[in-house]
Amino acid sequence: MEELVLYFSLKYEGDFQKIYKALMNKERVDEELKVKLMKRMNCRYITIFSDEYPELLKQINCPPFVLYYYGDLSLLKTKTIGVVGMRNMSEYGKRATHLFVKDLVQNGYTIVSGMARGIDTVAHQNAIAYGGRTIAVLGTGIEYCYPKENRLLYEELKEHQLVLSEYPFLTAPQKRLFPFRNRIIAGLSYSILISEAKQKSGTMITAGYALEQGKDIYCIPGRFDDYQGCNELIKQGAKLVLSAQDIMEDEDYG
């Protein structure tokens, strides 16, 4: 079964609905195409049938059939927290992310994020800078570094941390892929920290997936005259946090 889902994932470039349809319709395998696709693979992979596939991810709606990856898969078994926020972050959001990530990794947390510009990049970089662990979930093919300016970060993550994607090869950025990717960020995380967010954004989509999955959402409050995504989530019941200690105390005693 693992080879079958891998074949359809490669054939349909990770498209969940097309893979699902192929499996339901018992689509025949083109053995010649299968060999060609397998030869193109440079990365490693796990499928939903693999022993290494994370239990947290099996519990979400539409768990990816295949995860392509580079790096240390054992990070999936650590204490994870998703850290997400705006691409066009303010200095306030950047500083807050820096401080929270520093304290979280120094207390044993693995940071999960999406390697996007802004908050995601700061989260990964500071996890590494302070000797911590971090997982990047791409919204592109596993071989496609996006954004391009994160090439050095991408290579560092591949070599010493963990990069994964449900999309194989050089699947290019597409607007629809990034929101759907966010279910995996939420799914791999025991909780989510939002540093800074607009009220309508990919970050809020990640928060929606986390709520659907029953995860705790922690928000750093925004300034009253600035971006209001975090404040709106706090009004709706997300937990206001002023330090990483607040998160750790809540998870220890909450």
Side-chain angles (χ1 to χ4, degrees):
M1 196 65 178
E2 283 200 278
E3 277 199 8
L4 187 64
V5 294
L6 176 62
Y7 166 72
F8 287 129
S9 176
L10 293 170
K11 179 179 179 181
Y12 293 114
E13 296 188 327
D15 187 305
F16 182 90
Q17 295 300 334
K18 289 181 180 178
I19 300 166
Y20 181 79
K21 185 177 179 180
L23 291 168
M24 290 298 99
N25 292 341
K26 298 183 179 179
E27 182 180 317
R28 293 184 65 179
V29 174
D30 180 331
E31 293 295 337
E32 186 177 343
L33 176 60
K34 178 180 171 183
V35 170
K36 288 180 181 177
L37 290 170
M38 296 288 192
K39 284 182 177 178
R40 285 180 60 195
M41 278 183 51
N42 295 316
C43 63
R44 290 175 283 179
Y45 71 92
I46 54 173
T47 78
I48 196 167
F49 301 105
S50 304
D51 292 338
E52 302 91 344
Y53 194 92
E55 286 298 322
L56 276 178
L57 211 52
K58 289 181 181 178
Q59 298 167 20
I60 73 171
N61 287 329
C62 302
F65 290 104
V66 179
L67 288 173
Y68 303 95
Y69 74 94
Y70 285 104
D72 184 359
L73 201 63
S74 71
L75 297 191
L76 295 176
K77 298 179 180 178
T78 59
K79 187 172 185 177
T80 52
I81 183 168
V83 179
V84 294
M86 289 177 54
R87 285 174 168 80
N88 298 316
M89 63 187 171
S90 68
E91 278 301 315
Y92 171 81
K94 180 178 181 180
R95 188 170 72 253
T97 305
H98 180 155
L99 293 172
F100 271 75
V101 167
K102 173 187 174 184
D103 289 347
L104 287 166
V105 299
Q106 289 179 343
N107 283 277
Y109 284 82
T110 296
I111 305 301
V112 181
S113 199
M115 212 183 80
R117 292 184 183 95
I119 298 295
D120 289 21
T121 295
V122 172
H124 292 306
Q125 287 175 336
N126 282 283
I128 294 166
Y130 291 101
R133 300 167 297 195
T134 185
I135 300 168
V137 183
L138 306 184
T140 58
I142 188 66
E143 310 290 348
Y144 196 111
C145 175
Y146 182 82
K148 296 295 185 185
E149 63 260 32
N150 275 352
R151 171 59 64 179
L152 289 178
L153 174 61
Y154 171 72
E155 296 297 339
E156 172 72 16
L157 291 164
K158 283 173 63 176
E159 187 71 24
H160 300 294
Q161 303 290 334
L162 178 62
V163 179
L164 52 82
S165 176
E166 66 183 312
Y167 306 112
F169 308 134
L170 286 164
T171 304
Q174 300 172 47
K175 192 173 181 180
R176 66 181 179 83
L177 299 185
F178 292 98
F180 199 52
R181 174 276 309 270
N182 293 349
R183 81 195 192 285
I184 302 176
I185 294 176
L188 289 175
S189 305
Y190 287 94
S191 57
I192 296 287
L193 170 65
I194 300 176
S195 301
E196 187 174 41
K198 294 180 180 178
Q199 286 178 277
K200 292 184 178 180
S201 62
T203 300
M204 299 299 269
I205 292 171
T206 306
Y209 281 124
L211 285 171
E212 180 184 279
Q213 296 166 16
K215 309 289 177 66
D216 284 326
I217 298 176
Y218 301 107
C219 288
I220 301 169
R223 295 169 291 194
F224 79 93
D225 59 349
D226 214 335
Y227 304 110
Q228 294 300 308
C230 284
N231 293 343
E232 191 60 38
L233 286 169
I234 290 166
K235 283 167 63 178
Q236 294 174 17
K239 299 179 181 182
L240 185 157
V241 289
L242 299 177
S243 68
Q245 189 65 32
D246 290 342
I247 297 172
M248 291 181 279
E249 289 178 0
D250 184 72
E251 295 197 336
D252 284 343
Y253 306 113

